Each structure stands twice: as C-alpha cells, then as structure tokens.
Amino acid sequence: MESALVIVIGVMTATGVYLMLASNLLCYLFGLILLSNAANLVIFVSGRLTRVVPPLIPKGLEAPPEPVANALPQAMILTAIVIGFGLLAFTLALVVGCYRELGTIDADHMRLAEPIDPDGEH
Amino acid sequence: MGWLLALPFLLPIAVGLLAFAARRTPPLARAISLIGCVGLLLVAGAIFVQVLAQGPVAAQMGNWPAPFGITLVADRLSAIMLLLVALVGASVAVFALADVDRHRETLGFQGFYQLLLAGVCGSFVTGDLFNLYVWFEVMLIASFALLVLGGDREQLDGGIKYVALNLVSTLLMLMAIGMIYGLTGTLNMAALHQALAEVEQPATLQLLAVLLIAAFGIKAALFPLYFWLPASYHVPPVAVTAVFAGLLTKVGVYALIRTFTLIFPADLGFTRELLLGAALLTMLSGVLGAASQYEFRRILAFHIISQIGFLVLGLALYSPLALAGTVFYMAHNIVAKTNLLLMSGTARRMAGSFDLLKIGGLYRASPLLAAVFFIAAFSLAGFPPLSGFWAKLLLVTASLDQAAYWVAATALVTGALTLFSMSKIWSEAFWKAHPQEPPQTLASLPAIERVQRMAPAVVLVLITLLLGLFPQPLIEFSQAAAAELLNPAGYVAVVLSPSE
C-alpha cells in the first residue's frame, strides 16, 4: 500500500512540477494543486498506513492496544490542507487580478516591474 | 514564563485583528498599531533580559510536555531576533504613517502589517518544525497581502512572481517535514537533535537536508533561488519594502541556522560545502546585480541578496567566530538595511523619483537626510568604525582562521563593490545637482510628516553608530549566542527536561 502511494506521489510531483514550469499562470495553478496534494500525501504516508485500527481507547484501558493508526499526521495534513487551500484561493484571485489589470496570464509577457530597456543600457 | 514566550505572536495577532476591524477609521487603526508596536518592544525586551540572565528558556503550550506538544523556546539568537523585529516593526510603523496612503490604510494595511510581525516573531520562538511551517505561512500570507495591497499594475506583476516562487518553497518545506516525521516520529527540534543523530542513513539525511536548504534558500534569497526578490521588492510602498528587507529574508537565514546547528548533526557530508558555495555566489551575484541598476530601491534590493550571502557564510564556515559574525552581521544588517530603504522613500518624496538619473541635489536640500544615508550606506559597505566593519571583520577573520583565503577575498571584493553601489547612489542622488528643478527641502514638508519620516531613521542610525563605536557588548553577546548554537545541550535540556 505504501509503495503504491509513493508511486502516486511521484507521478503527482512530476506532473505538478512540469505544469508549474509553464509560463501560463493557469497551468502553474494546476501544478500547484497537484504539488501541494503530493506534499499532503507525503505526510500521510510518513505516518505509516494501517487498516481499520482507529486510535480509540477501549473501556477500562489507559491506552489503546497496539497496533493503532497514527492520528498526528492526519492532524498535520488537516492544517496543511487548510493553509494550502487558502493560499490557492489567494493565488487564483491574484491571477484573475493579473488577467484583468495586465490583460495576460503569460508570465513571459509580464515585464512591468522589470522593464526591458530598449536601448540596452542599465 | 509560558505567557511571556507566547506574547511575541499573540500580541501582534490581537493588535492586528483590532486594527483590521478599525481599518475604516485610519486614525484609530494607526493608534492601535502603534500601541501594539510599543507593546512588542516591551515584550521582546523582557524576553531578552530573561534570556541574558538565565540562558535558553522554554514553555510548553497547553502544558503538553515536549516532545508531544508545541514548545516555545528562546535562546540568545531568538532573543536578539525578537528584539530586532520589535525595533524594525516600531520604526517602520511610524514611517508608514507618512508613507502609506489612505486608500491602502482603509484596505487594512495596519492589520496585515501586525500579522506579518506575528508570523516573523512566531518563527523565532517556536521549537517545533511543523509549527515553524505554520508561522512561515502566516508570514507569507501577510506578505502577499502587503505586497499587492492597493493593486497597482506593477504590484500585481511583481506580486505574482513573489507568490509563485515562495509557494514552491513552502511545499518543499512541507515535504521535508513529512519525511522527517516519517524517519523519526517527532518534529520537536530538540528531540530531533537527538533522534537524527541516531539515524544511520546518511543518504536520506542528506536528501532531507538538501530539501530544507532549497526551501529555506528560496525564503532567504540564496543563489540561485533569489529571482523573486529583485522582481518584487521595489513594487509596494516603501514602508512595505523596508519591513520586508529588514525581516523576511532573515527568517529564512534563521531557519537555516536552526536547521544546521540544532536539528541536523554537524557532520553531514557535502551540505556545508553546498552552503559555502551558495553563500559566495550569493554575495557576488547580488552585488554585481546591484552594480547594473540605476533605480534606488532595486540597487538596495540586490544588496539584500548580497548580504544574505554574508549571513550564510558564517553558518557555512561553522566556527564559533564565524557564527558570532553571523549574529553580529544580522543585527547590523537589519538596522542599516531598513534605514536605507526608509531613506529611499524620503528621497523620492523630496526629489520625485526612484530613478537615480532623474534625481539629485538631496545633499543641499537636506543635510540631515544625507548624513543618515551616508552613515547607513557606508556601514553597509563595511567602513570603519561603523557597525558593518566589525561584522565583516569577524567573518573575514573567521575565514582566515580556517585558511579559506579565497572566501576572505570574495568577502572583501563584495565589500568593495558594495562601496561602488553606495557611492553611486551618493553621487547621483545626493551630490550632483537635480537635472530639472532643485528638490523640496526637508523643512518644507509638514512638521508631522517630517517627524514621522525622520524620527525612525535617526533612531536607527544612532543604533548603527552605537554598534560601530562600542561593538564590544554585541560581539560578546554574539560569541555567547554562537557558543549556544554550536553546543545545543542547554537548549535541548531546557526543552526536554524542564526543571519545574
């Protein structure tokens, strides 16, 4: 199970990086979604995958009997998902703003902040 | 103790929320923000005094003992960083009163500003790697908002590049954190210090180290990961550039220092050579980039990069003297750099442009402005007896001690090129006559604006002068901080086995 997920993570990362390298900002955004979910899956796998053993403490015991699922990575993923979603929403809004104001979402054509000097000096 | 260590981020968050709620009445938001900055100075001062008296201090949030809960720790490095954040935070907040327009204030400038300070402070006090990620995100989202607030076309252009590259850094960091957790089962930095030393998979450790170098290297603007910085730092209002320049990249350097003194074992294959090479190339490429620019803020932005190289150089050399040099350089650089950016804003206010070819005559228009710029700029270039001289002296001596002559040579060449850029600004903006009409004088500005612009600058330049004329206390402090970093036993003990 772990190795299958690891391959999935690898494919998602590779696809995400490929998309992020495009100069089209929308492609970048899709790549960002893939890469951030790949990162979430890394945390998920690093907690080790166990089936049907929720970390619950039966009545009368002080601690859950081994083996139990690790709940901490899931708490971390939740945090990461929320943060990642917020950042994604912001980035999407920014890209829309860019499209409205600059009229392009091609990063190669965004040279307002760093203009190319026509005569080549400074 | 617990509440005191939490205040550096709780206070700015609370103040930021209040200021954001009051954004439609700017005078109220301004007052809230300024009171918050004074409060942050007091809190940082109290923590600094406590750390000076008793060494590293720690607090367990919610009374969950380490390594299960989130630990807050302050050692000497954290304490001085907090103090610098509070100082820069207060100075720029006062400057922003004159610099940030009313439109941006009603959009919530003060709130985002405080949130940025909260994120920076949180990064400096946390003792937990995942919590560090969370503070990085707080800082990041606040900086995104500050960068594009107002929505000028240039701001959107620079902002998208800043956002795009910084998000990559975040994801790399998150992946590294996940794998470190998978390897050790803990993310508490002190516990990792022990756990990673026992991991016998050097290749895995090196992979994680390189992931973190890449993640923090993007934040810190290390070569060749710095391209977001010169693309974006000159687009927002000057107050925003000043606080970014003073604090943001330094958080990346701080994270690198923590990672490679506390978390990872000291002997980790090629990572030190990697950091050393990156540091030297950062120093050179930053200063060469600046040499080709004729825009006030873009020159300064490229110099931020160059100075990040110096900071990482101390970490890469990894000797007591070199790390002391890094701590000293950090204090010197944050103060001088912020001040130079503030000066660039006032220069534009008086002469009308950031383009050095279109301005001039500032020396005649305002000797005070010229004096402040002169001291800060030549301190940055490393002129004795200013603070930058001592910082560079420590680093160059440390590299000579290790017989790394070419490292020392690179540092000196970088210093000389810095001098070239600073002289360029000096001769173009201050010395030569203004190409059109003479600039406004400082005295012709409204009295309140004059105070708001010059009071923070004068305070910062006095600190630069004090650090330069009486460097001994800070050098001794830096050496103590370096000793703590190189031998984290005290830090680990105070986190994992609290005496209470």
Side-chain angles (χ1 to χ4, degrees):
Chain A
M1 187 62 189
E2 265 105 344
S3 29
L5 260 182
V6 166
I7 292 170
V8 171
I9 294 171
V11 171
M12 282 173 76
T13 309
T15 321
V17 169
Y18 177 76
L19 283 172
M20 286 172 100
L21 291 176
S23 65
N24 186 326
L25 288 176
L26 216 52
C27 283
Y28 169 85
L29 265 184
F30 291 138
L32 184 69
I33 297 174
L34 282 176
L35 202 60
S36 81
N37 283 312
N40 292 340
L41 280 178
V42 168
I43 304 178
F44 185 58
V45 175
S46 68
R48 305 298 187 275
L49 303 176
T50 40
R51 282 173 67 107
V52 212
V53 267
L56 299 176
I57 307 172
K59 230 176 190 174
L61 283 185
E62 295 266 292
E66 301 275 331
V68 288
N70 191 344
L72 190 61
Q74 298 173 22
M76 291 196 286
I77 294 172
L78 270 183
T79 316
I81 288 176
V82 172
I83 292 177
F85 191 73
L87 290 178
L88 183 71
F90 178 87
T91 316
L92 179 61
L94 190 60
V95 170
V96 172
C98 272
Y99 181 65
R100 287 210 183 119
E101 289 287 322
L102 311 176
T104 176
I105 50 167
D106 188 335
D108 288 343
H109 294 137
M110 295 186 177
R111 298 300 305 227
L112 263 179
E114 293 176 287
I116 307 166
D117 221 5
D119 50 355
E121 283 175 24
H122 32 272
Chain B
M1 192 60 222
W3 56 269
L4 184 59
L5 276 184
L7 274 183
F9 53 84
L10 287 184
L11 182 73
I13 288 178
V15 170
L17 288 176
L18 284 178
F20 193 78
R23 66 187 183 280
R24 307 233 176 266
T25 38
L28 182 59
R30 291 170 161 211
I32 294 171
S33 178
L34 286 183
I35 291 169
C37 285
V38 173
L40 189 61
L41 265 174
L42 294 177
V43 170
I47 293 176
F48 190 78
V49 168
Q50 193 142 8
V51 169
L52 267 192
Q54 60 184 82
V57 289
Q60 316 293 347
M61 288 299 94
N63 275 334
W64 283 62
F68 302 110
I70 290 174
T71 311
L72 302 181
V73 203
D75 62 353
R76 280 186 166 78
L77 178 63
S78 301
I80 193 167
M81 294 310 286
L82 286 177
L83 204 56
L84 289 164
V85 175
L87 179 70
V88 168
S91 315
V92 178
V94 174
F95 182 85
L97 300 179
D99 181 66
V100 176
D101 53 79
R102 207 178 172 85
H103 174 58
R104 286 192 171 85
E105 282 194 310
T106 52
L107 287 173
F109 169 80
Q110 311 285 0
F112 292 124
Y113 183 77
Q114 292 291 333
L115 196 63
L116 182 81
L117 295 184
V120 175
C121 287
S123 309
F124 290 148
V125 291
T126 186
D128 182 282
L129 210 49
F130 193 80
N131 196 231
L132 181 67
Y133 159 76
V134 174
W135 289 121
F136 265 56
E137 297 308 290
V138 172
M139 190 172 84
L140 206 58
I141 196 75
S143 68
F144 289 173
L146 285 175
L147 192 60
V148 299
L149 198 68
D152 288 357
R153 286 157 55 88
E154 282 197 4
Q155 278 184 291
L156 289 171
D157 186 336
I160 196 94
K161 288 155 195 168
Y162 177 87
V163 169
L165 287 175
N166 274 285
L167 286 179
V168 175
S169 150
T170 299
L171 293 176
L172 290 178
M173 181 180 176
L174 194 58
M175 284 194 178
I177 288 176
M179 289 186 236
I180 289 175
Y181 181 78
L183 198 62
T184 60
T186 182
L187 286 175
N188 183 296
M189 294 184 192
L192 280 174
H193 174 70
Q194 297 173 335
L196 284 178
E198 289 162 10
V199 173
E200 284 169 354
Q201 302 166 18
T204 316
L205 279 187
Q206 283 169 4
L207 173 80
L208 292 173
V210 170
L211 262 181
L212 284 181
I213 289 181
F216 297 144
I218 294 178
K219 299 269 177 215
L222 265 189
F223 179 89
L225 308 168
Y226 62 68
F227 295 100
W228 54 271
L229 195 150
S232 62
Y233 266 30
H234 60 289
V235 297
V238 176
V240 175
T241 313
V243 76
F244 281 16
L247 302 179
L248 287 196
T249 44
K250 277 66 180 182
V251 183
V253 177
Y254 169 87
L256 277 174
I257 295 176
R258 270 289 172 247
T259 313
F260 289 99
T261 56
L262 177 65
I263 299 178
F264 281 99
D267 48 339
L268 200 64
F270 58 86
T271 47
R272 197 155 322 143
E273 286 76 14
L274 186 64
L275 281 174
L276 186 62
L280 293 178
L281 288 170
T282 310
M283 285 154 65
L284 278 179
S285 54
V287 85
L288 289 175
S292 70
Q293 296 294 332
Y294 270 86
E295 208 258 36
F296 207 140
R297 277 203 285 178
R298 293 182 74 179
I299 294 177
L300 295 176
F302 270 106
H303 275 292
I304 298 173
I305 298 169
S306 159
Q307 282 128 24
I308 291 299
F310 277 99
L311 292 170
V312 176
L313 177 65
L315 174 65
L317 290 172
Y318 207 74
S319 69
L321 194 60
L323 274 169
T326 292
V327 176
F328 194 107
Y329 204 104
M330 193 82 97
H332 140 72
N333 189 234
I334 290 178
V335 173
K337 192 90 232 177
T338 311
N339 207 358
L340 283 175
L341 260 314
L342 297 185
M343 289 303 89
S344 77
T346 306
R348 190 193 57 167
R349 174 78 171 85
M350 290 161 62
S353 174
F354 284 118
D355 188 341
L356 290 181
L357 298 176
K358 292 183 189 152
I359 61 174
L362 284 167
Y363 176 74
R364 179 158 295 185
S366 168
L368 176 62
L369 181 76
V372 171
F373 176 84
F374 187 85
I375 293 170
F378 282 78
S379 171
L380 203 68
F383 254 56
L386 297 164
S387 60
F389 169 71
W390 304 109
K392 283 185 183 163
L393 183 68
L394 289 174
L395 285 171
V396 170
T397 314
S399 54
L400 290 179
D401 282 352
Q402 297 187 12
Y405 299 112
W406 46 283
V407 172
T410 312
L412 294 176
V413 168
T414 308
L417 289 170
T418 310
L419 185 61
F420 166 71
S421 282
M422 292 303 140
S423 319
K424 181 166 75 184
I425 301 181
W426 176 257
S427 63
E428 293 287 337
F430 289 88
W431 211 239
K432 80 165 196 268
H434 197 288
Q436 282 121 28
E437 76 273 32
Q440 273 185 292
T441 57
L442 202 56
S444 69
L445 298 182
I448 291 184
E449 186 181 345
R450 209 158 60 218
V451 172
Q452 287 166 344
R453 282 182 181 279
M454 292 314 289
V458 169
V459 169
L460 290 177
V461 88
L462 284 179
I463 293 173
T464 298
L465 275 178
L466 278 180
L467 292 184
L469 296 176
F470 307 101
Q472 197 54 32
L474 183 61
I475 290 180
E476 279 166 17
F477 176 87
S478 304
Q479 283 171 332
E484 271 180 1
L485 290 171
L486 287 170
N487 179 17
Y491 181 104
V492 173
V494 81
V495 173
L496 293 182
S497 47
S499 50
E500 298 143 293

